Amino acid sequence: MAFVLENRRARHDYEILETYEAGIALKGTEVKSLRAGKVDFTGSFARFENGELYLENLYIAPYEKGSYTNVDPRRKRKLLLHRHELNRLRGRVEQRGLTLVPLKIYFNERGYAKVLLGLARGKKAYQRKEDDKKRAVRRALEEL
């Protein structure tokens, strides 16, 4: 894995059950913005539409030097997975009320943009507080 952008908020807000690696279909200037690190994961998720998986609400800032070639920063981006992976994910998301959230975006060794998706269940407020307390205790022990 070369360049990595991480969604730190996802692990705080969700309990991650499984992870999947998917390719992402991007336009030219989006790749340049990704390499520059101009991404905001806030509120992004993956949704099935017509048998295909799309990443929605992911903000990739318009490239400064791209004029008419820039696209909508919050457009839906198609995720590329094998058909059997899509079918398996669709079943888990629809039946169990789980959601798919992007955890990382990176470029593999061949230079292709990839998204690490997490099959996740939302945490309740009290679960988040418990995790924060455990993290604080762990940090305090490490300092000693």
Side-chain angles (χ1 to χ4, degrees):
M1 280 194 293
F3 185 72
V4 177
L5 298 163
E6 191 168 356
N7 184 1
R8 293 188 209 107
R9 189 84 193 158
R11 295 201 187 270
H12 181 264
D13 291 344
Y14 298 97
E15 175 188 352
I16 308 299
L17 306 174
E18 286 182 38
T19 59
Y20 293 89
E21 182 184 65
I24 183 169
L26 298 170
K27 306 277 182 176
T29 56
E30 289 179 316
V31 176
K32 290 180 178 254
S33 288
L34 254 182
R35 288 193 188 279
K38 309 237 176 185
V39 176
D40 183 13
F41 287 99
T42 308
S44 59
F45 60 96
R47 173 187 290 167
F48 283 96
E49 194 172 296
N50 298 328
E52 296 177 336
L53 189 60
Y54 290 92
L55 188 60
E56 296 191 20
N57 212 20
L58 178 73
Y59 181 82
I60 299 179
Y63 186 57
E64 299 96 32
K65 296 176 183 163
S67 55
Y68 67 91
T69 56
N70 282 332
V71 294
D72 178 27
R74 290 213 183 265
R75 75 180 184 88
K76 289 192 287 190
R77 294 169 180 93
K78 186 175 179 180
L79 294 176
L80 310 170
L81 287 160
H82 290 285
R83 179 65 49 199
H84 64 89
E85 289 177 311
L86 285 172
N87 292 337
R88 180 188 209 190
L89 276 174
R90 184 183 304 111
R92 306 237 4 230
V93 168
E94 288 174 357
Q95 287 178 355
R96 298 188 187 170
L98 302 175
T99 188
L100 288 165
V101 292
L103 302 174
K104 292 180 183 177
I105 295 182
Y106 56 92
F107 290 94
N108 68 3
E109 48 287 333
R110 292 174 62 190
Y112 293 125
K114 299 287 184 178
V115 177
L116 187 68
L117 289 173
L119 187 64
R121 177 181 294 122
K123 285 185 184 177
K124 305 280 190 252
Y126 70 88
Q127 291 172 320
R128 281 191 223 125
K129 288 178 186 176
E130 287 174 7
D131 287 350
D132 289 343
K133 286 178 189 174
K134 288 177 188 174
R135 205 172 297 119
V137 168
R138 198 176 314 123
R139 280 189 194 135
L141 289 175
E142 287 176 2
E143 289 177 9
L144 297 177

